Amino acid sequence: MRRSRLQPVHGYCATISILGVSMLVGLLVGDGVRLPEVLSWKLAFFAVAVLFGELYPLRVPRGDAESGITTSTTFAFALLLSFGTAPAVIVFALASAVGDIVSRRAWWKVVFNVAQYTLALTACGQVVGLAVDLQSGGVEKFTAGNLLMLLIAGGAFFAVNVGVTAVAVAMVQHL
């Protein structure tokens, strides 16, 4: 039996997984107590939309292959704005895990993806929190001045989400 050697990408994926899962546990322990307070039909709607977006990606033909683009991020961002960072991250992480399990991904990919989304959406929530008060559970009112910060928050999500994955891909491809 051939035994595979540990590569630097394995350490990187393990580090990202530990950081993201630790952050998720922190949100569950710290803000998870507040979750029963925010349970509503609106939260349920967004949660179902996030899960549906993960389970049924839009199919896009690309050359000889077909790839899927999930719509879950859009609803996770709406969840973040409506209920705050912790509920959005928890729902997004659960939806990502369910989607990956249904797709029969390896356990470590499930954990890595949950961690990646946790880090990205938490970064997004931190940027949104600079413009509006998310401590009360969501955004009550936006002003024109908040729009730039929301765009920057979306950029933070994109940068962390794509950046974490791009580093792993580059390490695998020895770039």
Side-chain angles (χ1 to χ4, degrees):
M1 176 176 4
R2 186 174 167 221
R3 191 171 205 185
S4 64
R5 268 186 41 218
L6 286 180
Q7 302 292 323
V9 70
H10 297 127
Y12 173 77
C13 288
T15 301
I16 293 296
S17 296
I18 290 167
L19 287 172
V21 169
S22 297
M23 186 170 288
L24 180 60
V25 169
L27 288 170
L28 280 166
V29 171
D31 292 335
V33 177
R34 197 178 70 75
L35 283 179
E37 296 172 20
V38 298
L39 290 178
S40 66
W41 67 269
K42 191 173 164 183
L43 179 84
F45 171 80
F46 284 132
V48 168
V50 170
L51 181 61
F52 189 83
E54 280 293 313
L55 293 175
Y56 301 101
L58 301 173
R59 300 288 173 206
V60 178
R62 294 186 182 196
D64 294 340
E66 186 176 275
S67 63
I69 298 173
T70 62
T71 58
S72 56
T73 305
T74 304
F75 295 104
F77 191 69
L79 233 168
L80 184 141
L81 295 176
S82 298
F83 296 97
T85 303
V89 170
I90 292 165
V91 167
F92 200 23
L94 287 172
S96 172
V98 168
D100 285 350
I101 290 167
V102 167
S103 297
R104 300 180 187 261
R105 292 212 176 25
W107 68 268
W108 64 269
K109 286 183 181 179
V110 174
V111 173
F112 180 82
N113 288 340
V114 164
Q116 166 194 346
Y117 285 141
T118 297
L119 294 171
L121 198 56
T122 301
C124 180
Q126 292 299 309
V127 174
V128 170
L130 296 174
V132 294
D133 179 26
L134 284 177
Q135 300 296 32
S136 60
V139 178
E140 294 295 321
K141 179 179 162 185
F142 288 104
T143 65
N146 298 138
L147 293 178
L148 179 60
M149 191 61 75
L150 294 176
L151 286 171
I152 294 169
F157 177 90
F158 181 79
V160 173
N161 190 44
V162 172
V164 164
T165 305
V167 169
V169 170
M171 291 176 89
V172 167
Q173 295 178 349
H174 304 290
L175 297 177

